[in-house]
Amino acid sequence: GQQVMQIPQYQHVQEGEDFTTYCNSSTTLSNIQWYKQRPGGHPVFLIQLVKSGEVKKQKRLTFQFGEAKKNSSLHITATQTTDVGTYFCAGSGAGSYQLTFGKGTKLSVIP
Amino acid sequence: DGGITQSPKYLFRKEGQNVTLSCEQNLNHDAMYWYRQDPGQGLRLIYYSQIVNDFQKGDIAEGYSVSREKKESFPLTVTSAQKNPTAFYLCASSLTGTVNNQPQHFGDGTRLSIL
């Protein structure tokens, strides 16, 4: 079945440093979504990417979808303590009604 | 406020007991989902329902059962056949369950433990 791998599993950064998490799929994806889960909370939808090579920005967050639609990345510029949490990518293949989640990257920000 | 309500927040199960987790949404969404989250793991799909009176198994359906008699409600029963039920259970919904996946909205979760 479809597998979505996400790295790194953990990332500790000093406040103000940049952060990137990477997502790779074993199969071509029709779309990819990104979610953020704060400690003790539930996942919250951030964004969806659909087109090959797509880049979307939300303030300090930049999301990319690879040309082959098999990988994606989330980059945070100048991290803040409010960025703390686990970031998940989730993808679905063509014709699928299921999202397959990566294991997430847990971000810690040291003030 | 529209949203997804899961109850209870914490649940304890005795050996050999079935327990039911509640999930209610007032977002008028067609599709609903149940996920299991273990520490350090991503979300794994248990069951999903694209429409009332219909549901499909996800990747880890064994030991679980669901029903979808009403659009707003999608209860999950953890049966005694599920040998390792301790986990955080998340219910989600989306406007539709189409191929171009809609964003999923999650409830606050139920934490299930074995006594």
Side-chain angles (χ1 to χ4, degrees):
Chain A
Q2 181 174 290
Q3 290 185 333
V4 174
M5 290 145 288
Q6 198 173 345
I7 57 168
Q9 191 173 359
Y10 303 96
Q11 186 79 56
H12 305 275
V13 300
Q14 203 77 33
E15 188 173 16
E17 291 182 339
D18 292 356
F19 158 77
T20 305
T21 173
Y22 301 91
C23 189
N24 288 285
S25 170
S26 56
T27 58
T28 302
L29 301 170
S30 63
N31 69 85
I32 194 155
Q33 298 179 9
W34 286 90
Y35 291 80
K36 176 183 178 181
Q37 185 175 23
R38 292 182 186 275
H42 59 267
V44 174
F45 174 79
L46 294 176
I47 209 159
Q48 176 171 276
L49 304 170
V50 178
K51 299 177 184 175
S52 169
E54 189 170 14
V55 178
K56 286 189 176 180
K57 293 191 176 184
Q58 288 180 349
K59 297 183 180 177
R60 294 178 294 105
L61 278 60
T62 301
F63 303 84
Q64 292 188 318
F65 201 9
E67 293 289 342
K69 300 183 76 173
K70 294 181 75 173
N71 57 57
S72 182
S73 65
L74 158 59
H75 179 82
I76 303 178
T77 304
T79 54
Q80 300 174 359
T81 54
T82 53
D83 295 325
V84 163
T86 301
Y87 292 84
F88 293 97
C89 62
S92 64
S96 172
Y97 293 87
Q98 299 184 34
L99 276 179
T100 300
F101 281 79
K103 291 188 177 182
T105 296
K106 187 173 182 179
L107 173 63
S108 300
V109 178
I110 306 161
Chain B
D1 273 348
I4 299 178
T5 302
Q6 287 189 244
S7 62
K9 191 168 184 177
Y10 299 96
L11 187 58
F12 299 92
R13 195 191 91 169
K14 294 181 181 178
E15 295 286 342
Q17 188 181 44
N18 293 354
V19 291
T20 298
L21 284 60
S22 170
C23 178
E24 303 277 332
Q25 55 99 357
N26 60 5
L27 298 167
N28 200 31
H29 284 176
D30 282 330
M32 297 187 75
Y33 312 83
W34 273 106
Y35 292 93
R36 171 181 171 139
Q37 186 175 32
D38 294 282
Q41 301 293 314
L43 281 66
R44 291 184 291 167
L45 185 64
I46 305 173
Y47 269 97
Y48 66 100
S49 167
Q50 294 172 260
I51 201 165
V52 176
N53 292 321
D54 183 59
F55 50 83
Q56 307 295 331
K57 291 182 179 180
D59 298 322
I60 55 165
E62 186 173 349
Y64 300 97
S65 66
V66 294
S67 62
R68 186 87 189 275
E69 297 175 2
K70 297 188 297 182
K71 186 175 185 177
E72 312 82 58
S73 180
F74 191 40
L76 173 74
T77 297
V78 184
T79 74
S80 56
Q82 172 50 243
K83 298 305 178 189
N84 185 24
T86 298
F88 187 47
Y89 290 86
L90 286 158
C91 179
S93 71
S94 62
L95 187 61
T96 67
T98 60
V99 172
N100 290 325
N101 290 81
Q102 300 288 320
Q104 294 188 9
H105 300 258
F106 286 83
D108 289 338
T110 293
R111 204 166 291 276
L112 176 62
S113 303
I114 289 286
L115 281 178

